Amino acid sequence: MKKTALPAMLSFSAPDLREQIEALPEGTALIGISTDGRAIAVDLTAECPHVLVCTSSGGGSTTVLRSLTAQFLHQGAHALLLDPKRISHLWARGLPTVTHRGNTAGIHDALVGLGEELTRRLDLTDTELDVAPRLIVSMDSANSALSRLTRYWETFRGEDDPRMSPAVTALEAALWTGRAARVHVILDGTPATSILGAAPHELFGTVILARVSATTWQRLAPLTGPAPKPNRLTGRGHVIQDGEAHETQAIWMTDADVVTWLTGPDDRTA
């Protein structure tokens, strides 16, 4: 297959890119452009409803979470943004349809609330659910966040309380039943099945990998052959969908890009 020369950075301000993004149907977000010239997108309705992002340090996972979450917000979704580093998603603070949590206690409470919201949505009629906004749960640095949540729960778990953190249980429930409730998870990391339960990776219809080890590639993309040689370009990685890996240049969307776009006069969430 002939490869297309891609720019070293695919900026949100590139000619026609914003127009291309805004023309996408609700529930679809552009990840980037592949080396064969195709637009690579995630469709929350047609595919498995969640996205897994896994990169080494500097591989662009935070940028991907920011870009995808912002696109769904622009379409009218609401978002729960879990930011254990506290500074990776400062753009989200103050936006009316985003709940941003950074410390462990706040993330715990937000996920427990997510479990309650999931239960509420599953009791809605089809008509009621159709008008409920999509809820995007974006979790950065998931490995660290889930480990912290587990330790946090142990500090005050009562004798009769479940062993697993109710926050982790709620996230697991969102992965398994989120499609039916219009709840979608974008997760950065490779959380252990010992924390999230059996085979959670099967629930991610889109997996985005960049600068990962051969072992991680085989675990998360076992049907796509051996791991390719890592590309050091910022934002360059592989998107795995339907058992195929597409080398892709991801969109670079800055904090300022997102805030301006989401708070401008044409934004649908305003």
Side-chain angles (χ1 to χ4, degrees), residues 4 6 12 25 71 98 100 127 144 151 154-155 158 169 172 237 246 269:
T4 300
L6 290 175
F12 180 64
Q71 290 182 63
V98 181
H100 177 278
T127 300
S144 173
R151 293 194 299 269
E154 286 298 323
T155 63
T169 298
E172 184 178 6
H246 308 277
T269 68

Side-chain angles (χ1 to χ4, degrees), residues 25 55 60 63 70 110 125 141 146 156 170-171 178-179 192 238 247 250 255 258 267:
T55 76
T63 301
T125 66
S141 304
L146 290 169
F156 59 85
L171 181 62
R179 179 196 290 275
H238 288 78
E247 186 177 357
D255 283 16
V258 173
D267 178 55

Side-chain angles (χ1 to χ4, degrees), residues 7 68 72 92 113 189 221:
L68 294 181
F72 292 126

Side-chain angles (χ1 to χ4, degrees), residues 39-117:
I40 303 298
V42 56
D43 184 341
L44 297 178
T45 302
E47 302 166 359
C48 291
H50 313 299
V51 180
L52 180 65
V53 184
C54 180
T55 76
S56 65
S57 179
S61 58
T62 294
T63 301
V64 171
L65 261 66
R66 179 168 57 232
S67 169
L68 294 181
T69 304
Q71 290 182 63
F72 292 126
L73 285 169
H74 187 265
Q75 296 170 5
H78 291 190
L80 172 59
L81 214 159
L82 307 175
D83 180 14
K85 294 180 181 178
R86 301 195 184 197
I87 59 172
S88 295
H89 297 279
L90 297 180
W91 61 268
R93 294 183 178 179
L95 293 177
T97 56
V98 181
T99 298
H100 177 278
R101 295 291 181 267
N103 66 341
T104 302
I107 292 173
H108 172 92
D109 292 346
L111 284 173
V112 171
L114 170 67
E116 296 169 353
E117 174 64 9

Side-chain angles (χ1 to χ4, degrees), residues 222-234:
L223 303 179
T224 59
K229 183 178 179 179
N231 193 306
R232 307 309 297 181
L233 288 175
T234 300

Side-chain angles (χ1 to χ4, degrees), residues 58-255:
S61 58
T62 294
T63 301
V64 171
L65 261 66
R66 179 168 57 232
S67 169
L68 294 181
T69 304
Q71 290 182 63
F72 292 126
L73 285 169
H74 187 265
Q75 296 170 5
H78 291 190
L80 172 59
L81 214 159
L82 307 175
D83 180 14
K85 294 180 181 178
R86 301 195 184 197
I87 59 172
S88 295
H89 297 279
L90 297 180
W91 61 268
R93 294 183 178 179
L95 293 177
T97 56
V98 181
T99 298
H100 177 278
R101 295 291 181 267
N103 66 341
T104 302
I107 292 173
H108 172 92
D109 292 346
L111 284 173
V112 171
L114 170 67
E116 296 169 353
E117 174 64 9
L118 187 65
T119 298
R120 186 191 73 81
R121 287 182 174 226
L122 290 173
D123 286 338
L124 295 177
T125 66
D126 290 344
T127 300
E128 292 170 332
L129 187 60
D130 285 343
V131 298
R134 288 187 188 274
L135 178 57
I136 307 299
V137 182
S138 291
M139 176 178 274
D140 211 331
S141 304
N143 294 19
S144 173
L146 290 169
S147 294
R148 291 181 193 178
L149 287 168
T150 298
R151 293 194 299 269
Y152 177 77
W153 176 239
E154 286 298 323
T155 63
F156 59 85
R157 180 175 67 87
E159 182 177 343
D160 296 328
D161 289 331
R163 292 192 59 83
M164 180 176 283
S165 160
V168 176
T169 298
L171 181 62
E172 184 178 6
L175 287 171
W176 286 105
T177 64
R179 179 196 290 275
R182 288 169 60 85
V183 174
H184 311 277
V185 178
I186 306 175
L187 199 70
D188 162 38
T190 56
T193 56
S194 60
I195 296 177
L196 276 183
H201 300 311
E202 295 178 2
L203 301 175
F204 295 97
T206 297
V207 177
I208 303 170
L209 304 177
R211 304 182 190 178
V212 298
S213 68
T215 300
T216 298
W217 180 279
Q218 286 301 314
R219 182 156 65 91
L220 299 182
L223 303 179
T224 59
K229 183 178 179 179
N231 193 306
R232 307 309 297 181
L233 288 175
T234 300
R236 184 68 61 89
H238 288 78
V239 178
I240 293 87
Q241 293 175 328
D242 299 322
E244 295 186 4
H246 308 277
E247 186 177 357
T248 302
Q249 185 68 36
I251 299 168
W252 177 263
M253 189 181 291
T254 67
D255 283 16

